[in-house]
């Protein structure tokens, strides 16, 4: 194989060579993208405009919605444009940017979910200390720390990945993903990034164990709450979060931790869709369906829009 280290483009995996299926992919992904953007923007606007939602939990939820918008915007627009243009090309620096931002938003997403688990633990298990521990400055500091660490983490993985010598530019994935890029390496330097990925998966699993242990303590406390209404309110803020964490982590670890194969499979694509596209779509629905405060804020927002149209 020829050394293509100085390549200027990569070839992404197309969903089909049949033009009709490419158009179908364009419309399906466009619809999913619009649903995700509208859903997350509604969450953001509702939290910003409703002063009842200016609490730590909703501050973190607002940041999670912004991260979800970023995650899906890094991947889907490029994919649908390529399908529309019947093309597979992405520039070298476009691929670098995709890897960096996918890692940045993905790791920030999971780090923030870990912080949110701690927030729920303090709120339910230590309610008397909640205001002193989770005050505004502390919440902002947590988010800043998450962003700072994840920017450095994304830079480390991006630099380690593209320091490799690539012997092909055909990526067996519909976006630039680190495991797919490592398959193209023809030097032993890829083992450095593999080691970093294994370490990252270990840290992610450690965070997941922390979240599970946290929720075991939360559920133990919830069961001691005498009123049924109190139990339902506590669970309504915990179960959606636990659902999102489980889907995101299991699909992400499966994509990054399993042994690489020489060719792409339908399972690779499905797993990648599950951890990059499905969470940003589902999160607004998961957090709003069982959360009365979010539903009330969204209802006020939608009714305000209707009222404005009537008076105009």
């Amino acid at each position: 194989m020829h050394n293509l280290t100085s390549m200027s483009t990569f070839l992404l995996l197309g969903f089909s060579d049949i033009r009709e299926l490419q158009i179908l992919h364009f419309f399906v992904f466009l619809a999913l993208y619009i649903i995700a953007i509208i859903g997350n923007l509604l969450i953001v606007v509702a939290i910003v405009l409703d002063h009842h939602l200016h609490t730590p939990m909703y501050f973190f939820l607002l940041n999670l919605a912004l991260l979800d918008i970023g995650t899906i915007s890094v991947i889907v627009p490029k994919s649908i444009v390529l399908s529309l243009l019947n093309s597979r090309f992405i520039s070298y620096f476009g691929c670098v940017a995709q890897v960096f931002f996918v890692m940045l938003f993905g790791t920030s997403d999971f780090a923030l979910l870990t912080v949110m688990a701690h927030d729920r633990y303090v709120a339910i298990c230590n309610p008397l200390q909640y205001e002193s521990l989770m005050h505004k400055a502390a919440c902002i500091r947590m988010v800043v720390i998450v962003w700072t660490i994840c920017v450095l983490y994304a830079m480390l993985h991006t630099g380690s990945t593209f320091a490799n010598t690539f012997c092909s530019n055909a990526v067996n994935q519909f976006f630039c993903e680190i495991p797919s890029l490592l398959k193209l390496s023809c030097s032993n330097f890829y083992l450095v990034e593999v080691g970093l990925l294994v370490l990252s998966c270990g840290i992610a699993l450690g965070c997941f164990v922390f979240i599970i242990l946290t929720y075991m303590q939360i559920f133990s406390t919830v069961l001691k709450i005498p009123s049924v209404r109190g139990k339902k309110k506590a669970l309504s803020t915990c179960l959606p979060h636990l659902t999102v964490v489980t889907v995101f982590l299991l699909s992400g670890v499966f994509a990054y931790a399993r042994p690489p194969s020489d060719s792409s499979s339908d399972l690779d694509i499905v797993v990648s869709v599950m951890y990059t596209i499905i969470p940003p779509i589902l999160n607004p629905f998961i957090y709003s369906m069982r959360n009365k405060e979010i539903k009330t804020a969204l209802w006020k927002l939608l009714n305000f829009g209707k009222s404005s149209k009537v008076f105009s």
Side-chain angles (χ1 to χ4, degrees):
M1 299 180 72
H2 298 291
N3 187 334
L4 296 176
T5 307
S6 59
M7 69 183 70
S8 59
T9 60
F10 285 95
L11 285 173
L12 297 178
L13 181 68
F15 279 85
S16 175
D17 294 327
I18 302 172
R19 187 58 183 157
E20 289 76 11
L21 293 180
Q22 291 175 346
I23 298 299
L24 177 62
H25 162 250
F26 167 79
F27 282 112
V28 170
F29 267 46
L30 179 62
L32 293 176
Y33 182 65
I34 291 172
I35 291 170
I37 294 298
I38 291 176
N40 283 288
L41 280 179
L42 283 174
I43 295 291
V44 170
V45 173
I47 293 174
V48 169
L49 296 182
D50 194 330
H51 68 277
H52 294 103
L53 301 182
H54 292 178
T55 63
M57 184 180 79
Y58 294 109
F59 171 70
F60 294 134
L61 183 56
L62 182 149
N63 279 272
L64 184 66
L66 293 175
L67 288 171
D68 285 339
I69 290 173
T71 300
I72 200 167
S73 295
V74 170
I75 297 169
V76 174
K78 181 64 178 179
S79 181
I80 61 178
V81 167
L82 292 180
S83 288
L84 185 64
L85 299 178
N86 190 20
S87 173
R88 295 172 54 197
F89 290 98
I90 183 173
S91 69
Y92 181 88
F93 291 106
C95 191
V96 172
Q98 266 199 345
V99 168
F100 174 78
F101 285 110
V102 166
M103 292 302 295
L104 172 61
F105 292 131
T107 53
S108 298
D109 209 321
F110 190 65
L112 191 61
L113 288 170
T114 306
V115 171
M116 291 172 73
H118 173 69
D119 170 71
R120 291 298 82 208
Y121 168 78
V122 177
I124 295 172
C125 299
N126 296 299
L128 297 179
Q129 299 179 3
Y130 187 70
E131 290 188 6
S132 62
L133 293 176
M134 303 301 293
H135 52 86
K136 183 178 179 181
C139 293
I140 293 174
R141 186 164 57 247
M142 289 179 190
V143 170
V144 170
I145 291 173
V146 165
W147 276 99
T148 302
I149 292 175
C150 291
V151 165
L152 296 174
Y153 176 87
M155 290 173 63
L156 175 65
H157 277 283
T158 305
S160 177
T161 299
F162 288 94
N164 279 281
T165 301
F166 297 116
C167 293
S168 172
N169 67 339
V171 182
N172 285 321
Q173 189 54 272
F174 68 97
F175 66 97
C176 286
E177 184 186 49
I178 290 178
S180 299
L181 288 168
L182 292 182
K183 296 175 188 177
L184 308 180
S185 175
C186 50
S187 69
N188 291 329
F189 192 79
Y190 82 95
L191 294 173
V192 174
E193 178 58 22
V194 169
L196 289 174
L197 288 177
V198 171
L199 177 62
S200 300
C201 289
I203 294 172
L205 287 174
C207 291
F208 185 62
V209 170
F210 168 79
I211 292 172
I212 294 299
L213 293 176
T214 299
Y215 272 101
M216 287 175 64
Q217 292 178 295
I218 289 173
F219 291 143
S220 176
T221 303
V222 168
L223 292 175
K224 297 175 184 177
I225 298 176
S227 68
V228 176
R229 185 179 179 183
K231 290 180 180 179
K232 286 184 177 180
K233 184 176 181 181
L235 291 175
S236 69
T237 63
C238 295
L239 291 179
H241 176 256
L242 196 56
T243 303
V244 170
V245 170
T246 303
V247 173
F248 180 80
L249 179 69
L250 294 182
S251 57
V253 168
F254 184 80
Y256 281 83
R258 66 197 186 93
S261 59
D262 293 332
S263 60
S264 180
S265 66
D266 293 336
L267 183 60
D268 292 328
I269 297 175
V270 169
V271 169
S272 295
V273 168
M274 280 188 65
Y275 84 89
T276 59
I277 298 178
I278 298 302
I281 295 170
L282 290 183
N283 286 358
F285 296 101
I286 292 172
Y287 279 107
S288 60
M289 279 192 301
R290 295 184 60 88
N291 193 305
K292 186 177 179 180
E293 292 175 323
I294 285 286
K295 285 193 283 190
T296 302
L298 289 173
W299 186 251
K300 287 180 182 178
L301 182 63
L302 294 174
N303 281 342
F304 178 76
K306 292 179 181 178
S307 302
S308 299
K309 288 182 178 179
V310 170
F311 286 111
S312 61

